[in-house]
Amino acid sequence: MIFDRLRKLDVVFDSPELDSPPVFSSGDVVSGKVVVELAGAARVESLKLHAEGFAKVHWTESRSAGSSTAYTQNFSDEVEYLNRREVLLQADNGEHTTLSAGRHEFPFSFQLPEETLVTSFEGKHGSIRYWVKVKLHRPWFTVKKLKKEFTVIEPIDINTPSLLAPQAGTKEKMARIWYRNFGQVSITAKIDRKGYTPGEVIPVFAEFDNSTSRSVVPKAYITQTQTFIARGTMKQKKSVVATICGDVVGARRRETWHGRAIKIPPVGPSILQCRIIKVEYVLRVCVDVPGTSKLSLELPLVMGTIPLHPFGSRTSSVSSQYSLNLDWLRMAIPEQPEPPPDYSSVVSAEEAAQNASTSSPEEDLSGILGRPLMAYVQEFRLRPPPVYSEVDPNPQPCSIRPRCMTC
């Protein structure tokens, strides 16, 4: 009777933190070791390592072919991103190698492709996975296999002009029930940029104009859409990840959000580069109108992995291409206050005439106002201090003599 002397076969990845699993991206070097523990001396033919990465989708649909017949159709597809093989142990003569009892470690190292990979993902109808598979061949024993997955996250830097651009939109509809019109409802919504990272707060600037005869309820929520594509057919799964609800807007009234906050929960990054799997996010601002379909406005979002840098540390290329649009801040600024009354309306006619006769001639300020205000601020800030002198710059006249205290 032959006893199996193999106690342990394991794959250990090199990680800077022992408690957390390693995370890689395109171009990184994946390294680690294969651990083999034997209870006694054993012969080994070979130890091979195979690194793989695939995006796969699969689902089934039942279709009716008549009153009593039905058939099931399968949809599946896959895309390969990684395929690397490496031999860790193999005898020169092709027969076997004898390993002594105890622990044996076989290091491995390989580089991920430089071209863009796709972030690891687990969905309802598909997944994107990366793993290392180890095969231990021994005489008189079946092949011992071990598979261990690792995570790949492709960085998405939101500090780019396209993701720093504000997003805005307007939408309106006529509220109808059967053949009766109740009036028009409109939404205008804006957010300061397109790219965000999980944990950030999105300030929503919106205006809801309810011209109907019924009350409406404004809402905003973030939705995640998972899209799976196979054989020209698309399958989607949508879910709400965050939501906020505003106050009821009465009939023929208007409501304004001056940066209503909605926080992004811990969600996965956007996946936009895969041919068969996509993960997209949208900020949906809507109005629920009783008795009819809701009015909804969508603003696209991109969930990144590199958060927003402080303004002073951004690169010049990004800061030069991104400019602030003053129209974007219009909704955040409250309505202008009422202008002050005229001077003539608060003083008597005699006082106004007297002040007008004693006032100095009006100076020409056109040249001064033509310069930007910041130029005067810089001029004042950079002006050097006065030169120190022992001589009094404002001496007293000689005619003034000090008073004698003895008089």
Side-chain angles (χ1 to χ4, degrees):
M1 184 175 181
I2 302 177
F3 294 97
D4 190 354
R5 298 180 179 180
L6 179 64
R7 285 183 175 177
K8 181 179 181 181
L9 178 63
D10 192 14
V11 175
V12 179
F13 293 103
D14 293 336
S15 177
E17 299 180 6
L18 299 177
D19 298 335
S20 61
V23 178
F24 305 95
S25 59
S26 59
D28 288 348
V29 176
V30 180
S31 60
K33 56 190 175 184
V34 177
V35 180
V36 179
E37 288 188 7
L38 300 173
R43 294 184 297 175
V44 177
E45 294 179 355
S46 64
L47 179 62
K48 299 179 180 180
L49 180 140
H50 187 194
E52 298 176 288
F54 286 91
K56 298 182 179 181
V57 297
H58 177 77
W59 74 88
T60 59
E61 293 183 3
S62 298
R63 302 181 181 273
S64 176
S67 58
S68 59
T69 60
Y71 67 95
T72 301
Q73 189 173 5
N74 295 322
F75 296 88
S76 61
D77 198 355
E78 68 178 37
V79 177
E80 182 183 89
Y81 290 103
L82 176 64
N83 190 348
R84 175 72 179 267
R85 298 177 184 272
E86 186 175 347
V87 178
L88 303 180
L89 175 65
Q90 189 169 6
D92 296 336
N93 55 10
E95 293 182 358
H96 63 267
T97 300
T98 302
L99 297 179
S100 60
R103 178 186 176 96
H104 300 269
E105 296 181 355
F106 301 91
F108 65 87
S109 177
F110 60 90
Q111 186 176 12
L112 296 176
E114 289 288 348
E115 59 268 17
T116 302
L117 298 178
V118 181
T119 300
S120 301
F121 170 75
E122 292 291 332
K124 182 177 181 180
H125 303 293
S127 62
I128 302 174
R129 298 174 181 171
Y130 301 85
W131 64 85
V132 169
K133 185 185 297 183
V134 176
K135 293 183 179 180
L136 179 63
H137 297 262
R138 295 172 296 164
W140 309 107
F141 289 97
T142 59
V143 178
K144 185 69 173 180
K145 300 180 182 179
L146 176 67
K147 181 178 178 181
K148 196 162 188 178
E149 296 186 7
F150 60 92
T151 303
V152 171
I153 296 182
E154 277 303 287
I156 300 178
D157 190 357
I158 67 172
N159 299 278
T160 57
S162 60
L163 298 184
L164 290 176
Q167 305 296 305
T170 302
K171 207 167 186 181
E172 59 185 21
K173 69 171 292 185
M174 186 66 67
R176 294 187 179 93
I177 298 180
W178 293 100
Y179 298 102
R180 182 181 176 184
N181 294 337
F182 286 92
Q184 183 173 277
V185 182
S186 64
I187 300 175
T188 301
K190 303 178 183 180
I191 54 177
D192 58 355
R193 48 191 160 94
K194 184 178 181 180
Y196 288 88
T197 53
E200 283 192 278
V201 173
I202 303 177
V204 181
F205 300 88
E207 185 177 273
F208 307 91
D209 190 0
N210 179 22
S211 300
T212 68
S213 58
R214 296 191 173 191
S215 299
V216 300
V217 180
K219 296 180 180 179
Y221 47 92
I222 302 174
T223 61
Q224 180 197 70
T225 302
Q226 302 176 9
T227 305
F228 308 91
I229 304 172
R231 296 168 52 185
T233 304
M234 183 176 62
K235 195 82 169 178
Q236 285 188 335
K237 179 182 181 299
K238 296 184 178 182
S239 58
V240 177
V241 299
T243 181
I244 57 174
C245 184
D247 299 330
V248 177
V249 183
R252 294 176 177 82
R253 290 186 176 274
R254 180 178 298 177
E255 174 73 13
T256 302
W257 286 359
H258 296 287
R260 182 69 65 91
I262 179 171
K263 187 174 182 179
I264 305 174
V267 293
S270 299
I271 299 178
L272 307 174
Q273 305 299 328
C274 184
R275 180 174 59 85
I276 60 176
I277 296 178
K278 295 185 182 299
V279 178
E280 300 168 298
Y281 294 88
V282 167
L283 175 65
R284 193 186 305 271
V285 183
C286 65
V287 171
D288 286 339
V289 183
T292 184
S293 59
K294 66 175 61 177
L295 173 63
S296 180
L297 173 64
E298 295 184 355
L299 301 178
L301 296 174
V302 173
M303 293 298 166
T305 59
I306 301 177
L308 185 68
H309 297 163
F311 182 78
S313 63
R314 296 183 189 174
T315 59
S316 59
S317 59
V318 173
S319 60
S320 61
Q321 298 181 47
Y322 174 68
S323 60
L324 183 63
N325 187 0
L326 295 181
D327 293 338
W328 162 249
L329 300 176
R330 183 178 302 169
M331 185 166 293
I333 300 176
E335 297 181 358
Q336 295 183 358
E338 183 180 355
D342 296 335
Y343 178 74
S344 60
S345 62
V346 296
V347 299
S348 62
E350 292 78 5
E351 292 177 346
Q354 182 180 0
N355 293 336
S357 60
T358 58
S359 60
S360 60
E362 185 177 0
E363 297 180 1
D364 184 11
L365 301 179
S366 59
I368 297 178
L369 297 179
R371 298 177 59 186
L373 178 61
M374 186 56 67
Y376 294 98
V377 176
Q378 295 294 335
E379 180 181 352
F380 176 79
R381 185 173 64 87
L382 302 178
R383 181 175 297 176
V387 180
Y388 175 76
S389 176
E390 295 289 346
V391 181
D392 189 1
N394 300 311
Q396 297 182 354
C398 297
S399 59
I400 301 178
R401 296 180 179 180
R403 183 178 179 182
C404 181
M405 299 300 295
T406 59
C407 296

